[in-house]
Amino acid sequence: MKTTVVNIVTPDGPVYDSAAAMVSVRATSGEMGILPGHIPTVAPLAIGIVRVKTADNKTELVAVTGGFVEIRPEQVTILTPSAEVAENIDLARAKEALKRAEQRLQAKKDGIDVKRAELALNRAINRINVKEGNI
């Protein structure tokens, strides 16, 4: 089975590096499925889940907070501000972040940066979905 190398990199360093039979990402324009030999492409990513199907037919999940995907025939590189592999996500911490974001949005106090609170809410929901396998 043909594979492609998948690298997910943040400013703090590499988060994921493996071979994959297929990669699925959520670009700002919609869902993208990437197979080995894909044409070269660069696309901006939305907050979402990266699904990596390995050669042994397992699916690994990674939460990303936007960024870019660069696709080459033999390699997929994702550059993102932050990323977490499902098994490294602290579910309790993610649920606390969700509560804080919801409270900020419901309070609607002066000085609240609504866009920032909405992004925090989306990041928390994404992390929870990845940890719980809700794809």
Side-chain angles (χ1 to χ4, degrees):
M1 173 183 286
K2 288 181 101 177
T3 61
T4 187
V5 175
V6 180
N7 296 308
I8 300 176
V9 182
T10 70
D12 295 328
V15 173
Y16 186 88
D17 184 9
S18 185
M22 181 179 175
V23 181
S24 178
V25 298
R26 185 171 160 218
T28 56
S29 60
E31 197 76 21
M32 292 178 67
I34 306 160
L35 296 170
H38 195 286
I39 62 169
T41 307
V42 174
L45 295 177
I47 293 171
I49 300 171
V50 175
R51 288 181 292 282
V52 180
K53 190 171 191 176
T54 62
D56 57 353
N57 210 26
K58 292 181 184 172
T59 300
E60 297 175 346
L61 305 176
V62 182
V64 296
T65 59
F68 291 90
V69 60
E70 177 192 21
I71 305 165
R72 289 182 272 158
E74 298 84 29
Q75 184 169 3
V76 175
T77 303
I78 295 173
L79 304 172
T80 180
S82 69
E84 288 181 272
V85 178
E87 63 248 16
N88 295 341
I89 294 174
D90 181 343
L91 189 57
R93 190 171 149 248
K95 287 183 178 181
E96 282 299 315
L98 177 66
K99 277 188 210 174
R100 282 193 309 273
E102 287 173 337
Q103 289 169 351
R104 268 187 247 129
L105 285 171
Q106 289 172 355
K108 295 193 181 196
K109 293 180 184 174
D110 289 337
I112 286 286
D113 186 345
V114 175
K115 183 67 173 169
R116 186 173 170 207
E118 288 172 347
L119 287 171
L121 179 74
N122 290 337
R123 286 190 303 267
I125 290 169
N126 185 53
R127 292 175 67 231
I128 292 167
N129 287 339
V130 167
K131 182 65 175 183
E132 293 179 343
N134 301 328
I135 52 175

